Amino acid sequence: MTDEFIPYGRQLLDDDDIEAVVEVLRSDWLTTGPKVDLFEEALAQQAGTKFAVALANGTAALHAAMYAARVGADDEVVVTPMTFAASANCAVYTGAKPVFADVRGGTLLINPDAVAEQMTDKTSAIVAVDYAGQPCDYEALRRLAEDKGVTLVADACHAIGGSYQGKPVGSLADLSVFSFHPVKHITTGEGGAVTTDDPEMAARLRLFRNHGITTDHRQRSEQGSWFYEMVDLGFNYRITDIQCALGLTQLGKLPAWIERRQQIAARYDEAFAEIDCVDPLVVAPERVHAYHLYVVRLDPGLDRQAVFATLRDRGLGVNVHYIPVHLHPFYRERFGTGRGLAPVAEEAYDHMLSLPMFPAMSDEQVERVIATVDEVVEQLS
Ligand SMILES: *Cc1c(COP(=O)(O)O)cnc(C)c1O
């Protein structure tokens, strides 16, 4: 068998994806055109929500979600530290203060008890992350958000195609945010979206994506009018029709891709149950896990850096998701955060590893990952 490099994640594009993009390039509308509407309709259907608003990327979608939730300076946003920095950065963009609530050790999902402890009179939103593709404990989170009158935002960038208590990811919070970066489940190159059932929030998302202007180029063109008004400060966070055409063909393949990810996860689970020093994360009840990532915890007696480096040498694109956000220099310096603030996330970070997981992985590649991990942890134990 060859020792070709297996990345931790990788996009999958077919001829139909490429043809859909080329078709848009030959059409009248490169941006704010009909493919944006079609992609949004398809996303809303996937999420089971009334509205979806597509944006330039997942980070812009998070920023727009903060605007829709009316998060402002002097507010606090409770967020998990076990995520990509963008989940917390969106609060900082608005002038609000991110407040970190620790995760549960088994799933690494935000712990609702820790959220409750961090909530104050200043809390205006909670950002929960469906880490690795597993939906959070939304029953408890919703109750907290409703009791205190704060907006619940799901950073669902890992979890499109998953579900909780039979309800699809995208419909589980007031606002749910997606990313279509190439390492995510479906890609538009760069791209993102927010889903919601709230018409006012949907309107605010559209306003924010277009400079705070009440009509877009196509609406003015159709009305034969030059008139527009800017009613608030927004950004150019629009997505193109080129991207949305790709998103539409990609979204059609999502169910098959989720199924393949789940098959790979099931094989990993079965194999690692036999390997003492490698523990998969826990999957909580009532979840359909979308497996953006497959994360294991290594025995604390193993040197994670040595395991990581040896696996990389052996051609496995292992990774670490994530350095807890509150440990980044920016957060330490701006907000005085540091070790000890979220001990469960910090301990998990010290011993975690993400293994290759993407739908185009062959069974042979999956077996090679398992065999190589087994040999390397044995050798380094
Ligand atoms: C990818 C990701 C983002 C950011 O999405 P971009 O499209 O890269 O801006 C935000 N949050 C999480 C959890 C992500 O994985």
Side-chain angles (χ1 to χ4, degrees):
M1 193 158 39
T2 62
D3 267 6
E4 107 279 26
F5 185 77
I6 307 176
Y8 87 87
R10 188 181 153 69
Q11 75 273 18
L12 188 51
L13 273 88
D14 302 318
D15 287 347
D16 65 322
D17 297 300
I18 293 164
E19 279 156 24
V21 169
V22 171
E23 187 192 313
V24 173
L25 292 174
R26 295 188 202 284
S27 78
D28 288 342
W29 291 99
L30 298 187
T31 191
T32 64
K35 293 290 183 194
V36 180
D37 296 348
L38 289 172
F39 186 43
E40 289 180 340
E41 280 164 29
L43 284 170
Q45 192 174 5
Q46 166 68 39
T49 53
K50 292 200 185 95
F51 309 100
V53 177
L55 297 103
N57 54 65
T59 305
L62 280 164
H63 191 189
M66 293 292 102
Y67 177 78
R70 299 178 186 274
V71 173
D74 299 330
D75 288 351
E76 292 177 357
V77 174
V78 179
V79 59
T80 176
M82 185 47 71
T83 184
F84 182 58
S87 314
N89 291 352
C90 62
V92 183
Y93 295 155
T94 68
K97 180 182 171 198
V99 176
F100 296 95
D102 209 350
V103 294
R104 285 196 166 122
T107 58
L108 305 188
L109 297 175
I110 198 166
N111 182 343
D113 298 334
V115 174
E117 275 171 32
Q118 298 298 342
M119 288 176 81
T120 71
D121 292 345
K122 292 184 166 182
T123 308
S124 63
I126 301 167
V127 179
V129 175
D130 297 333
Y131 175 76
Q134 175 167 208
C136 293
D137 183 355
Y138 284 104
E139 195 174 312
L141 292 172
R142 285 212 80 98
R143 207 177 311 126
L144 278 173
E146 277 162 24
D147 281 356
K148 306 270 171 141
V150 312
T151 305
L152 180 58
V153 178
D155 178 339
C157 289
H158 295 184
I160 191 169
S163 69
Y164 170 72
Q165 295 181 339
K167 292 194 215 93
V169 164
S171 68
L172 301 168
D174 297 311
L175 296 153
S176 299
V177 175
F178 298 96
S179 165
F180 311 121
H181 182 277
V183 299
K184 308 295 161 69
H185 287 83
I186 64 165
T187 190
T188 58
E190 297 281 355
V194 186
T195 55
T196 185
D197 276 324
D198 184 320
E200 192 197 323
M201 287 198 188
R204 283 178 70 79
L205 294 167
R206 291 182 200 286
L207 195 67
F208 195 68
R209 142 181 102 170
N210 192 35
H211 309 278
I213 289 172
T214 46
T215 59
D216 69 22
H217 179 60
R218 185 158 51 118
Q219 286 165 326
R220 289 196 298 280
S221 163
E222 280 163 3
Q223 290 158 10
S225 167
W226 51 266
F227 185 77
Y228 66 85
E229 278 181 309
M230 184 190 138
V231 295
D232 204 351
L233 186 64
F235 289 78
N236 178 356
Y237 278 165
R238 296 185 302 259
I239 190 168
T240 65
D241 283 57
I242 305 165
Q243 290 164 297
C244 290
L246 182 54
L248 274 165
T249 51
Q250 290 267 302
L251 193 57
K253 299 168 200 181
L254 181 67
W257 286 350
I258 296 283
E259 206 179 302
R260 178 60 185 153
R261 285 174 181 272
Q262 288 167 344
Q263 267 174 9
I264 295 168
R267 176 63 192 122
Y268 278 158
D269 285 346
E270 176 188 56
F272 296 128
E274 307 290 318
I275 301 177
D276 280 345
C277 300
V278 180
D279 289 322
L281 295 184
V282 171
V283 181
E286 303 182 288
R287 300 324 197 264
V288 172
H289 195 314
Y291 287 107
H292 164 55
L293 301 173
Y294 189 90
V295 177
V296 295
R297 279 166 170 274
L298 300 175
D299 185 276
L302 279 164
D303 177 347
R304 193 262 309 269
Q305 180 50 33
V307 175
F308 177 89
T310 312
L311 290 171
R312 279 282 179 104
D313 280 348
R314 303 263 319 250
L316 299 194
V318 290
N319 219 314
V320 173
H321 297 97
Y322 291 96
I323 299 167
V325 177
H326 66 286
L327 300 184
H328 286 298
F330 170 80
Y331 281 91
R332 289 175 186 268
E333 283 155 30
R334 174 83 71 99
F335 299 103
T337 57
R339 281 222 171 230
L341 193 149
V344 181
E346 292 159 22
E347 193 273 338
Y349 161 61
D350 290 338
H351 305 294
M352 63 172 31
L353 214 51
S354 303
L355 302 181
M357 165 60 85
F358 50 95
M361 262 182 105
S362 67
D363 289 345
E364 290 70 29
Q365 287 176 318
V366 174
E367 295 307 319
R368 194 180 127 208
V369 172
I370 293 166
T372 310
V373 169
D374 191 13
E375 279 167 38
V376 168
V377 299
E378 177 78 14
Q379 175 199 327
L380 294 174
S381 287

